[in-house]
Amino acid sequence: MISESEFKEEVLSFFQRVPQLLEEIEDPFERERTFIAACYDSNLGALNYPVEDGGRGLEQRFIDIFRQELRNQNSFSIGNAFGVGIGFCLPTIRDHGSEEIRKRFLKPGLRGEEMWCQLYSEPGAGSDLAGLTTRAELDGDEWVVSGQKVWTSGASVADLGILLARTNWDVPKHQGISMLILPMNQDGVEVRPLKQMTGTSSFNEVFMDNAKIPASWVVGSQGDGWRMAVALLSHERSSLGAGGGRQPLSVNDLIALAQESGVNADPLVRQLLADLFSGSQIITWLNLRSGIHPSIGKLWRTKQGRAASKVASKLAFPGGVAWQGEPLGSSETNRWAYGICDSPAHSLGGGTDEVQKNTLGERVLGLPREPAVDIDIPFSEVRKN
Ligand SMILES: Cc1cc2nc3c(=O)[nH]c(=O)nc-3n(C[C@H](O)[C@H](O)[C@H](O)COP(=O)(O)OP(=O)(O)OC[C@H]3O[C@@H](n4cnc5c(N)ncnc54)[C@H](O)[C@@H]3O)c2cc1C
């Protein structure tokens, strides 16, 4: 068994080789893909996956070491684009997928050869996710899927989608859902990007019209999709809480902005920056504790994201919220505007703040469950809009 210090040395020696690997690759997306493949090929990409699934079978503390060293490197990271697959879809397949689908999907996903998106939210089912109405029916050796998803991050570039669909309408809403794996590049799937106030289109609408899925591409078993959905959400919230997904504006950058603007001696500004610095320390320390509920880390990250964008709007005012020409986020001058316009997303993606608080109230504090009128009746009898 490898010791923590031996492992750290191995990681550091790998990181030393990375700059050479990425030397001639300019496109940020391809750099990330190459980095991910190199991690996997160096036996560092599937640390907590079973050996029989191509992994290393190591405990969480080794992942923490890897993540810490990765954070210490400023030149490469695993960001948003591959985060949905590596952060939440693949761990769910690892834990609940049949041998056939583990063999088919884990390695290409972990090497960054296939990109994933998460097909959960619908126009009528966001926080009330179990009310989803996308329909999947088994027809011979394939599922036929029709319905609409929305806010699907990365769908326009994804090869595969982890899909929640209703496969039984005659049982209560949580019991009739299955988790399926949808190939995105097919005639029955249409992806329409949604324009956000940042000017970018990171998420999309996805329309499925008789889309096809092989019969065996079910994660868990038919009808057990709600349990799978919760398992995946727990990976998603842990991953977001631990620093995956969209990043809050950095405290160090805001301190530098205060210095450049000559307001760093103002006691009110110092207080705002001190609060932000404390927030970022709390997140770091929270992530060092094992066994905390994933919603706690996620709530802290969103609180920090919103607070950082408020401070940025004060410090960069009036230019911080005004920009011209080039797309937001693409240059030094408009990155404050991007951070400010993007910050509401922190509180929504991965489940809203209110929903995280409900979850913590019910599952951690043991408060009474929210009243619900539709959880015991067949979904086909539930009144819908
Ligand atoms: C940046 C971003 C990325 C996203 N990426 C994806 C993705 O890749 N895949 C995907 O499937 N979805 C994605 N989403 C969708 C996201 O999960 C939903 O927006 C979220 O779950 C809320 O659902 P909704 O938008 O339908 O709002 P609603 O559920 O309609 O909620 C509206 C408001 O009511 C509040 N509310 C609702 N129910 C309760 C309750 N029981 N108690 C208290 N308050 C309540 C909510 O907190 C919210 O403020 C993304 C969203 C964003 C912003």
Side-chain angles (χ1 to χ4, degrees), residues 310-326:
K310 266 195 186 154
V311 174
S313 18
K314 281 199 169 69
L315 294 182
F317 186 82
V321 284
W323 74 94
Q324 228 180 351
E326 75 245 296

Side-chain angles (χ1 to χ4, degrees), residues 364-376:
V364 178
L365 301 177
L367 298 175
R369 286 190 70 83
E370 259 197 290
V373 292
D374 60 353
I375 53 169
D376 293 325

Side-chain angles (χ1 to χ4, degrees), residues 320-337:
V321 284
W323 74 94
Q324 228 180 351
E326 75 245 296
L328 269 192
S330 66
S331 78
E332 252 323 271
T333 48
N334 69 27
R335 77 189 157 117
W336 301 117

Side-chain angles (χ1 to χ4, degrees), residues 118 120-121 126-127 151 153 203 246 345 348-349 352 354 358 370:
Q118 180 192 16
Y120 271 33
S121 306
S127 302
W151 317 126
S153 303
F203 47 46
R246 42 179 33 81
L348 302 171
T352 66
E354 291 77 12
N358 284 350
E370 259 197 290

Side-chain angles (χ1 to χ4, degrees), residues 11 20-21 30 40 43 56 68 114 137 149 160 167 190 207 221 226 240-241 275 298 335 339 361 371:
V11 172
Q20 203 183 350
L21 267 178
E30 280 313 317
Y40 186 88
N43 221 357
R56 189 93 178 246
Q68 184 55 51
E114 286 177 337
E137 280 169 1
K149 298 289 173 177
L160 298 159
T167 48
E190 187 192 345
F207 295 86
S221 53
W226 186 251
L240 294 176
D275 282 348
K298 200 217 165 231
R335 77 189 157 117

Side-chain angles (χ1 to χ4, degrees), residues 80 84 88 116-129 149-155 162 164 196 202-204 233 236-237 246 298 342 344-358 362 370-371:
N80 251 343
V84 175
F88 7 126
W116 287 77
C117 65
Q118 180 192 16
L119 297 161
Y120 271 33
S121 306
E122 299 182 359
S127 302
D128 180 23
L129 183 59
K149 298 289 173 177
V150 70
W151 317 126
T152 317
S153 303
I162 204 107
L164 292 182
Q196 294 150 234
S202 68
F203 47 46
N204 308 268
L233 281 175
E236 176 173 6
R237 288 167 189 169
R246 42 179 33 81
K298 200 217 165 231
D342 192 53
H346 289 280
S347 295
L348 302 171
T352 66
D353 290 359
E354 291 77 12
V355 166
Q356 310 301 330
K357 286 179 188 167
N358 284 350
E362 290 172 14
E370 259 197 290

